Structures are given as C-alpha cells and as structure tokens.
Amino acid sequence: MVKQRRKESEVFSDLAKLCASPGYVHAIAYLCFRDNTVEHGDTVTANDILEKLSSDKLIRTEISTLIGLACKGNLNTELPPLDVLNYLISTTDILLKELHQSMMPTMEDIFNPDMLGDKDFNPFNKGALLREPIFYGGESAYHFQHRDLSYLKYHNDNDWFLVKKGFSIQHAIDVVTSIQLLQNVKLNFEMLQLMDKHPDERSFLSAFKFTAEEVSKVANIEISTVRNVLESFVSTDLYEFNSLDDFNPKNAYPIIKLPGEEYLLFQIYSLMQALYETPFFWLHDDKEYRQTAMQHRGEFAEAFSAERLKLVFGANRVFLNVNIYTSKKTLAGEIDVLVVFANRAIVLQAKSKKLTIAARKGNDNVLQDDFKKAVQNAYDQAFLCSDLLIDKNHKLYDNQGNELDIKREFKEIYPFCIISEHYPALSFQARQFLKFNTTEIIKSPFVMDVFLLDVMTEMLQSPLHLLSYINRRTSYGDKIFSTHELTILSHHLKNNLWMDDQYSMMHLEDDLSVELDLAMLTRREGIQGISTPEGILTKYEGTPFDQLIKEINNLEDPSVVDLGFMLLSISSEAIEMLNDGISRIIKLCKEDGQNHSFTQTFIDSDFGLIIHCNNDHPSVAISRLDSHCRLRKYAQKTNSWYGLCIGPNTPKIKLGINLCYKWVHSAEMDELVKDLPTSQNFNGKFNSPTMPSKKKKTGRNDKCPCGSGKKYKRCCSA
C-alpha cells in the first residue's frame, strides 16, 4: 500500500513542534557543523568542498527555518540526553525531506489534461510550481561577496550610520569578519576537545557562542561600538512564522541574544547576507533620509557594474549613464552602463528590486509583478537603447554632457539586466517570464545579479574571453539548465561551454561548481588552494594560441576580433594543430629568412585561417595576404575566412584580414584555384602542404608555395 503524501502544512506543523523541544539548539549546532563546515588540510581541495554538496546535506534556507522555529518561544539551551539529541537530529532530517517532497508539484499540477491543447499553456510559470525552486534553488552569492559589497553599497550612507547606529559600515564589516574568525577557532578547538568528553556532554553549541568582549579583541574595536553592531542584528520581538513562506526574522536578524553577555550565531552566511540587505530597511525607515538612501541604492548597482566591467575592458571602453538624444535633442533613452569593444557592445540596465513575501508564497499576480519591476522593465529599456544605439541619427552623451565619439558599426549587442539584490531562482524565473526580442545584431538578454557579474569579471578578465562566454551563454538560452548560473560558468571554465546541435537540452549538476568555489575562496579569502580552475584559462597558457588571443584583445580591431571569437570556440585538437603550425612557420622563417605560411580550415565552424610569417612592409604584406585568403576561401567554399600576418620572432600580429560574405560560384575563380594546394583541416595530423620544405627549392617562376596562385618571384620572394 502506497503511503499518501501529507500536506505541507501538516509536515511544517510537526517540524515546528520538534524545534520547540527543550535543548533543540544543540541539534541545530550539530547540523550546522555537519553541513556548513569544510574539513581540510593545509590546502583546500575541490574534494573537500564536494563533500558538502551531497543531496543528504541540509541547505542554509532549511537550517534558517529550523532556527526561526526554535526562536519563536523561550530558548532552552540545556543539553538533552544523547538519545534525545540523536532523536531530534534524525527526526529533523526525516521531516525536512518530507517537507521538500510536499512542496514538489504532482504530475496533475504539471500536466493538466484540459490544457494540453493550449499552445500557450506553461505550467512552470505558475507560482505554486515556482515555490520549490525559490526556496531550494541554492545561494546566488558567496558569503564574502555579501560582506565585501556591503561597503560599496552603503559607504555613501556612512554619516547616517555613525549618527543613527553608533558605528560605521567598516566597523560592521570588521565585526562580522571577526565573528567568522572567532568561530573558526572555536570550532577547531571543539573538535579537539570533543573526544575527551563523555558522549552525554558532547555538543557543538559553545563554538557558535561569543561575547562582545571576545569580538572586540579580535576586531580591535571599542567594545561599545561592537555592541552597537551586534545589537543591530538582534531581534527580540515576538513573531509569526507559521509556514515556509512566512517572513523569518532570523534571516534579517540572525544574531541571538542569550542571558548574560553571550550571543549566539549559527550561520555566518546569514549574518553576512543580513549585513548586505538589512541596513537598507533601517535607512528606509528614516523618512527624512529615505530618498537619499533610495538614490544611493540605485547608484550602487550602476557604479559597481561599471567598475567590474572596467576591470575587463579598461576604463576607456566603459561609459556610465549614457543619454541618447534625437536630432532635436529630445531624450530618447538612457543606458546605465555601456561597454564598447571593437564591433561588440554591452547595454546594461540595473534595478534594485527584491522578491516580496507574497510572491514567495506563490501568488501568481504578485510573482509576475515583482519580476516585471525587477527584470522585464530593465530588459525593455535595454532593448530600446540597443536599438537606438544602432541608429546613428541618435547622439550619445556621457554623464558629463560630452558627446561620445565611438564607432557604431556593431555586429553584436548584448542586453544585460542586472539585479543588485538577492532574487531567488532568478535564472529559472527569467526562463519562464521574460518576454524578449532578438535581431541580427541585438542578441538574447543575459539576466543576472551583481554577484554573478562579480564572479564572471573576476575569472574572465579579458574582453574576448568574457564576450565569448556571454555569446554562448545567451545563444544556448533555454537549452542549458542548472539551479544557478555559477554552475554553468564553472563548466565553461573547465570545458569551454559548447553544445552540439544534435542535443536539445544540457542539465548541469551543482557539483560542477566546486572548482570555481575553490578559486573564489582562494582569491577573496586567501585560503591555500587553486586560484584558477584547470581548463580554458590554464591549458594553453604561454602557447602561440594564448599569445594570439592576447594580441587580439590588445588590438581591438574588428577585422581580427571576429577571428578571436572563432578561435575560442574551436576544439583542443584544432588548437594543438594551430600551435604546431605557428611554431613551425616561425622556426622556418628564422632558419632561412624566407616568407612562410600556414593554412588551417575548421570544418565544424565553417571558417578558415591563413597565417603569413614575414618581415615585409604592411603595404606589401596585406595585398599578398588578401589575395591568398580570397583564393583559399573560394576553394574551400566557406562563408568566412580570416588572415593574419605575424613577425618571424613571436606571434605578434602585424595586420589582419576578415572576409565574411556568402560563397558564390565563379568560373574565373575556378581557374585561379585549380592548382591551389590542399589545405589542412583540424581532423587530420598536422603536415601543412602550404609550407615549403627547407630542403626543396622553389624556382622564381614556379607557383608560390604559400598558395596565393602567383609566381614565387612576384609573391613571397618579392
């Protein structure tokens, strides 16, 4: 007999009763140690982090629910007998699994037989079905991002903090950081002491306790200031928390005040997130300061996005608050952040909106209204401005009133929608709700929060690498499914995001993000670990391929930028062949002082590349390269062909050719290419027929071995 699934309210009620048990805080302390801490040696490895991603581990939102329920009444901190504690822990695991199952939609919820004939019917945009990914969708940010971005978010409000709260935003950050350091020490100490205690006396609770005096010593801040910070994140008010979607005060105010001088904090992540989110409500409650606070909040998202993009593209390519005017000087649109790199652009619109409690409860109308305010409006503005950007009848002015002198022959424009607040299941909601258009130039939108932008610009710190990832991520759109975007980015860093046309869907599990998690911890927290995941950023470091990409980044020339994007999409086998070819023609040039070339076609990508290596003057070299490329493009019947001319010492690009036009049959060209040597493609072993052997001499009246079709005396020997 199949056991009938209980209602969510019934399971939640049982969980609430369990959390009210005497001494339940000791069960929470154990669960926090079990599921929130990472044990490691001197160096943290990906496997250390991977252990915490098991499906049988509780996520932070689940533990926060336990804390919220336990603190509804009087908190009893007496340690229960071991058998009682074990019962509390095991029953908690059982009820939370059952609670998760009760939230999962049934097949009847998903597939309504009465609606199957309606082509517009989409059960996944219903609030009832979105509740589960909203609650269980995982974290959108690393804990240290909440801490570090708090300063940037509130530093303009610092005077208000000093006057109204008795501490600066930097004081708050230092106190929170010190609590983390203090708890790490205490957890390690408890681990050492645990085995010496009788089983009935074992508990991790003391590791999560601290006093203002202890924090003051670690932070080197006056104890009165420390108390002001701690008390600001303590709430003693009675509250209603009767369902999973109700507001849980222990998320906004996670520090628990114990009798005497002690405080209790179970999850440092919750405090760092509260540091990022809760102060805004203090500012908003001050009616006289509210408007200023709102202005600073909006400015933060724009300024932060601009600074992160400057890290990749340079300050000269990133423009903040660009106004678009008609010829009659009428304001037609405003771009929060504009990035221009060669013939590519990013049009970024930022919003500071949160998902409301009513939306979390599954209210369809509120859910879609929240999304409209947070994302849809930002996208609509981004698309409008992208369209205006293409129209040269509109003029662009920066925030100082200066007209922007930029080239506007764009091949691709990427609309960005940036959210500055934690927005649960953002990518999943964008998949369901966002209505967007695309053109040949304006691509699909990229919806993200400031935390993802922060990580993307940290790991992909070159224009080509970042734009290449953006291109593929937005092109694949709904074909890639993951609980959060960091998993997709991590997969790209390891494997070069690519999806064959024969596949309609790619599902990525959360454990793929561990290398990225480790890299960010290493970079931002200073732990001993690998700072760059092994993959696309490390595999070819220092090779001719790597040098070519760096050269293309520096040139910012549309004629070679397109080639850069193509090169970042090719297979590892093709890259190895390219490295071999470049190395060989450079070596030959050094040995005989003659001009040499290398031809490579990329069958799956429908393009080809010719590289000439010589010391010729650019005026001579470009004519020869152009002729060679046109002949080879025609012979291969491709729509795109690229040419580069490099010097004989390093793969430093002297000039580039970009031939992108539809192949058309020509009798004249048939005659010119009939004796053209066969080009090399990446499926074969490298043995370029376009490079003359050092031993074989070429007569002056023979056809040039570079493949241009001209006599040797009028080509590479000239």
Side-chain angles (χ1 to χ4, degrees):
M1 182 176 180
V2 179
K3 184 179 178 180
Q4 186 175 4
R5 190 167 80 171
R6 290 201 295 167
K7 293 181 180 179
E8 179 186 326
S9 58
E10 295 174 334
V11 183
F12 189 86
S13 177
D14 284 353
L15 187 64
K17 292 175 184 176
L18 187 73
C19 292
S21 302
Y24 186 78
V25 288
H26 293 273
I28 296 176
Y30 170 78
L31 293 169
C32 286
F33 172 79
R34 185 191 73 182
D35 298 342
N36 284 349
T37 60
V38 176
E39 298 179 55
H40 60 84
D42 294 336
T43 300
V44 183
T45 67
N47 285 334
D48 294 330
I49 300 175
L50 190 60
E51 291 182 5
K52 296 303 174 182
L53 295 179
S54 171
S55 59
D56 61 352
K57 304 294 184 183
L58 303 184
I59 62 174
R60 186 184 63 88
T61 50
E62 289 178 306
I63 295 178
S64 294
T65 300
L66 302 178
I67 298 169
L69 291 173
C71 293
K72 282 182 66 176
N74 294 325
L75 204 62
N76 184 318
T77 59
E78 291 184 11
L79 179 62
L82 181 59
D83 59 336
V84 174
L85 182 59
N86 287 336
Y87 169 79
L88 294 175
I89 293 169
S90 60
T91 307
T92 297
D93 283 331
I94 292 170
L95 287 175
L96 285 174
K97 282 184 173 63
E98 187 180 6
L99 185 66
H100 192 178
Q101 288 298 318
S102 69
M103 288 185 68
M104 299 290 285
T106 64
M107 294 302 293
E108 290 77 11
D109 294 328
I110 299 175
F111 299 105
N112 184 344
D114 297 333
M115 301 296 293
L116 291 180
D118 185 354
K119 64 178 181 180
D120 296 323
F121 174 64
N122 179 9
F124 295 101
N125 63 15
K126 298 298 180 182
L129 274 73
L130 284 168
R131 289 180 63 249
E132 192 274 340
I134 287 174
F135 187 84
Y136 290 97
E139 308 296 351
S140 66
Y142 297 108
H143 65 279
F144 47 80
Q145 287 182 293
H146 287 301
R147 178 197 63 206
D148 298 342
L149 270 63
S150 293
Y151 179 82
L152 302 174
K153 187 177 182 181
Y154 296 116
H155 72 97
N156 288 330
D157 303 303
N158 207 51
D159 291 343
W160 185 95
F161 279 93
L162 289 167
V163 173
K164 300 290 187 178
K165 303 296 289 185
F167 58 83
S168 68
I169 186 61
Q170 188 61 56
H171 283 144
I173 292 170
D174 291 343
V175 166
V176 170
T177 303
S178 298
I179 293 172
Q180 181 184 17
L181 295 172
L182 191 60
Q183 288 191 334
N184 285 343
V185 171
K186 289 190 173 188
L187 279 166
N188 284 318
F189 178 78
E190 286 298 326
M191 280 289 295
L192 294 173
Q193 299 295 314
L194 207 60
M195 299 310 297
D196 294 333
K197 293 182 179 180
H198 188 276
D200 286 337
E201 297 176 346
R202 292 174 184 171
S203 173
F204 287 98
L205 186 63
S206 58
F208 298 98
K209 294 179 181 179
F210 55 89
T211 65
E213 184 178 5
E214 288 176 318
V215 177
S216 175
K217 290 179 180 178
V218 176
N220 195 24
I221 298 174
E222 288 288 338
I223 193 168
S224 59
T225 304
V226 171
R227 282 200 180 98
N228 288 337
V229 175
L230 297 179
E231 292 294 333
S232 293
F233 292 97
V234 171
S235 175
T236 57
D237 295 338
L238 296 177
Y239 57 88
E240 295 292 324
F241 184 33
N242 299 319
S243 72
L244 206 58
D245 304 309
D246 282 348
F247 172 65
N248 182 356
K250 293 309 169 187
N251 287 328
Y253 298 92
I255 297 178
I256 302 166
K257 185 72 169 69
L258 297 175
E261 296 295 319
E262 287 188 313
Y263 296 89
L264 177 63
L265 174 69
F266 283 117
Q267 299 192 108
I268 191 66
Y269 187 106
S270 295
L271 181 56
M272 290 190 177
Q273 184 173 8
L275 177 64
Y276 182 82
E277 295 181 351
T278 302
F280 173 75
F281 297 99
W282 307 338
L283 299 166
H284 190 267
D285 287 343
D286 186 338
K287 294 182 180 179
E288 293 182 0
Y289 194 76
R290 182 178 299 170
Q291 192 60 39
T292 301
M294 292 292 289
Q295 180 182 339
H296 290 167
R297 187 190 194 193
E299 290 171 349
F300 156 70
E302 298 170 7
F304 176 77
S305 299
E307 289 305 310
R308 294 306 300 177
L309 290 167
K310 286 177 184 178
L311 178 67
V312 178
F313 295 96
N316 61 319
R317 302 186 185 107
V318 181
F319 309 92
L320 187 63
N321 299 133
V322 176
N323 292 315
I324 306 176
Y325 288 92
T326 65
S327 57
K328 297 181 179 180
K329 294 187 177 181
T330 300
L331 183 64
E334 180 183 355
I335 302 174
D336 290 341
V337 181
L338 172 65
V339 179
V340 177
F341 178 77
N343 54 1
R344 265 73 172 178
I346 295 172
V347 173
L348 184 151
Q349 302 297 149
K351 296 293 181 184
S352 302
K353 301 292 183 182
K354 292 176 66 69
L355 191 66
T356 61
I357 297 298
R360 291 172 185 265
K361 287 178 177 290
N363 185 306
D364 289 347
N365 292 333
V366 176
L367 193 66
Q368 297 193 37
D369 185 60
D370 283 358
F371 184 85
K372 183 176 186 298
K373 293 175 180 176
V375 180
Q376 188 67 57
N377 289 349
Y379 169 73
D380 292 343
Q381 188 177 356
F383 184 84
L384 170 65
C385 291
S386 298
D387 203 31
L388 295 173
L389 191 61
I390 301 169
D391 185 355
K392 295 181 183 178
N393 291 321
H394 292 82
K395 296 185 179 296
L396 311 178
Y397 294 86
D398 65 16
N399 55 359
Q400 302 298 319
N402 303 311
E403 185 173 358
L404 298 184
D405 182 20
I406 58 175
K407 295 180 179 179
R408 294 165 68 179
E409 290 79 21
F410 295 110
K411 184 172 184 177
E412 295 174 350
I413 298 177
Y414 297 100
F416 272 26
C417 307
I418 300 285
I419 307 297
S420 67
E421 307 300 317
H422 170 56
Y423 203 95
L426 177 60
S427 60
F428 188 85
Q429 291 193 56
R431 182 192 299 265
Q432 305 305 323
F433 295 136
L434 186 60
K435 299 176 181 177
F436 63 91
N437 299 310
T438 60
T439 69
E440 186 176 346
I441 296 175
I442 304 173
K443 304 304 179 181
S444 299
F446 202 161
V447 179
M448 70 185 81
D449 53 34
V450 291
F451 308 111
L452 176 62
L453 181 66
D454 183 32
V455 179
M456 285 170 52
T457 53
E458 177 69 34
M459 301 309 303
L460 299 171
Q461 288 190 16
S462 81
L464 277 180
H465 276 111
L466 181 60
L467 287 170
S468 176
Y469 175 68
I470 292 167
N471 174 276
R472 269 173 274 175
R473 178 64 192 97
T474 55
S475 297
Y476 294 145
D478 291 348
K479 290 185 176 182
I480 302 179
F481 185 83
S482 177
T483 54
H484 55 75
E485 287 288 337
L486 291 176
T487 303
I488 303 173
L489 175 61
S490 183
H491 174 72
H492 172 70
L493 293 173
K494 291 167 59 180
N495 303 305
N496 202 6
L497 186 63
W498 185 262
M499 191 168 177
D500 196 284
D501 291 339
Q502 65 179 307
Y503 300 109
S504 60
M505 175 70 72
M506 179 189 294
H507 185 272
L508 303 177
E509 295 289 345
D510 290 350
D511 58 0
L512 292 174
S513 68
V514 291
E515 282 84 0
L516 177 58
D517 297 342
L518 178 58
M520 289 300 295
L521 281 167
T522 303
R523 290 169 178 242
R524 297 290 176 85
E525 292 288 79
I527 68 166
Q528 293 296 314
I530 299 175
S531 60
T532 302
E534 294 184 7
I536 63 170
L537 299 178
T538 60
K539 187 174 183 180
Y540 301 105
E541 193 172 9
T543 66
F545 174 82
D546 181 47
Q547 294 176 57
L548 271 186
I549 296 299
K550 290 177 179 176
E551 278 286 304
I552 293 172
N553 272 313
N554 294 331
L555 285 173
E556 195 186 354
D557 182 347
S559 64
V560 294
V561 162
D562 290 345
L563 171 61
F565 288 118
M566 299 300 288
L567 292 178
L568 288 177
S569 70
I570 63 178
S571 68
S572 58
E573 184 182 1
I575 293 174
E576 295 290 355
M577 184 175 173
L578 184 63
N579 280 330
D580 192 14
I582 294 172
S583 297
R584 289 182 64 177
I585 60 175
I586 289 177
K587 180 182 178 182
L588 287 170
C589 271
K590 289 179 179 179
E591 289 177 349
D592 63 14
Q594 300 296 311
N595 297 351
H596 294 275
S597 70
F598 162 61
T599 300
Q600 185 171 350
T601 58
F602 304 86
I603 298 173
D604 292 341
S605 300
D606 188 35
F607 80 99
L609 170 66
I610 292 174
I611 300 179
H612 282 189
C613 183
N614 56 58
N615 265 324
D616 294 339
H617 190 275
S619 61
V620 175
I622 194 167
S623 175
R624 183 186 302 124
L625 181 62
D626 182 75
S627 175
H628 191 181
C629 287
R630 291 183 186 280
L631 290 172
R632 180 60 66 189
K633 178 182 184 300
Y634 183 82
Q636 296 300 135
K637 299 182 179 180
T638 63
N639 294 320
S640 298
W641 200 276
Y642 303 93
L644 294 176
C645 184
I646 62 175
N649 296 316
T650 63
K652 186 174 180 62
I653 299 174
K654 294 163 54 176
L655 54 92
I657 296 290
N658 182 339
L659 303 177
C660 293
Y661 53 84
K662 189 174 181 180
W663 185 89
V664 178
H665 177 260
S666 165
E668 181 183 354
M669 291 295 290
D670 284 342
E671 183 64 26
L672 290 174
V673 303
K674 66 179 182 180
D675 296 323
L676 199 64
T678 303
S679 67
Q680 184 68 42
N681 67 61
F682 71 78
N683 289 325
K685 182 179 178 182
F686 178 79
N687 184 19
S688 175
T690 66
M691 294 191 304
S693 168
K694 183 179 177 182
K695 297 179 180 179
K696 182 180 178 180
K697 297 294 184 180
T698 304
R700 288 176 53 79
N701 290 315
D702 292 339
K703 286 194 175 183
C704 184
C706 78
S708 66
K710 297 180 180 179
K711 290 184 178 181
Y712 182 55
K713 66 181 180 181
R714 300 187 183 280
C715 191
C716 289
S717 71

